[in-house]
Amino acid sequence: MNRMNLPPGDRGPGVSPHNGGILPPDPQHRGACPTIPTRRGFLKQASAIILGTVASLVPLVSGLIMFFDPLRRKSQASEFLPVASLTSLPADGSPRKFSVRASRTDAWNKSPLTPIGAVYLRRKSDKSVQALNVVCPHLGCFVDFDTTQGYHCPCHKSTFALDGKINSPSSPAPRGLDELEVEIRNETEIWVKFQNFRTGEAKMIPA
């Protein structure tokens, strides 16, 4: 029996008298077949994931380097360093200012001797030397020295005696100049355990 002669409900799917007996595809089934990703698309997605991961790691690594680098510099700065010779100090106990130099190491290289601070050195006896950090404990300015005023800060007028102690009640500095450890090596070499300390504190707290 010809299907076109059947009632519309019995002709079955896909049969229509208006298109030669074939119904158009059901719109609900269009695109139902899953698409298979190409190899090129997969590689693009994988590359994007890898680049995103690397980009997120760069700030983390940089942050770790910056975090540990000050710790490394602090440990080096607290070591004994050669500063001067006994022959360079006046016998009358007048202080002399000397630069402190050290080799610095970062994550990639080691630099040659670089200035990291300065100290005042003075003889206390033939084999004893006092070392004072030049940084004012008030706000960090470098103190000067002359024979009339002794140690004095040009920024806020703090003054200190020859031994580094505060010599005026009106001095804004919370403590005297920071005294550093000294060793005499090989008879004449002056080695100083250089260290900076926090300003504005009554006690010496390593910076």
Side-chain angles (χ1 to χ4, degrees), residues 20 55 75 79 81 112 125 130 138 162 177:
S75 64
E79 296 176 354
L81 301 170
S125 65
Q130 183 186 41
H138 180 214
L162 191 61
L177 294 177

Side-chain angles (χ1 to χ4, degrees), residues 29-113:
H29 296 282
R30 290 179 181 176
C33 296
T35 58
I36 302 175
T38 63
R39 178 175 298 181
R40 180 178 298 179
F42 172 77
L43 291 177
K44 286 184 178 180
Q45 293 180 357
S47 299
I49 294 174
I50 294 173
L51 291 176
T53 302
V54 172
S56 64
L57 288 176
V58 170
L60 176 61
V61 174
S62 301
L64 290 175
I65 292 174
M66 293 298 295
F67 177 78
F68 287 110
D69 188 54
L71 298 181
R72 180 163 51 251
R73 289 200 301 268
K74 181 185 290 186
S75 64
Q76 290 180 343
S78 62
E79 296 176 354
F80 277 94
L81 301 170
V83 176
S85 171
L86 276 174
T87 57
S88 61
L89 299 182
D92 63 359
S94 300
R96 290 291 183 270
K97 186 177 179 179
F98 295 91
S99 176
V100 179
R101 298 174 180 270
S103 296
R104 284 188 169 180
T105 303
D106 58 25
W108 295 276
N109 52 50
K110 182 177 182 179
S111 65
L113 291 176

Side-chain angles (χ1 to χ4, degrees), residues 99-181:
S99 176
V100 179
R101 298 174 180 270
S103 296
R104 284 188 169 180
T105 303
D106 58 25
W108 295 276
N109 52 50
K110 182 177 182 179
S111 65
L113 291 176
T114 304
I116 60 172
V119 294
Y120 281 105
L121 300 178
R122 72 179 186 93
R123 285 179 181 264
K124 297 170 65 177
S125 65
D126 289 343
K127 293 296 182 179
S128 178
V129 173
Q130 183 186 41
L132 298 174
N133 197 320
V134 302
V135 175
C136 179
H138 180 214
L139 292 178
C141 296
F142 281 13
V143 299
D144 297 323
F145 176 82
D146 60 53
T147 55
T148 58
Q149 300 184 68
Y151 299 107
H152 60 95
C153 178
C155 297
H156 305 96
K157 310 305 180 184
S158 294
T159 58
F160 308 89
L162 191 61
D163 60 2
K165 296 180 180 179
I166 295 175
N167 62 358
S168 172
S170 62
S171 176
R175 64 177 186 270
L177 294 177
D178 297 324
E179 186 169 357
L180 306 174
E181 294 183 51

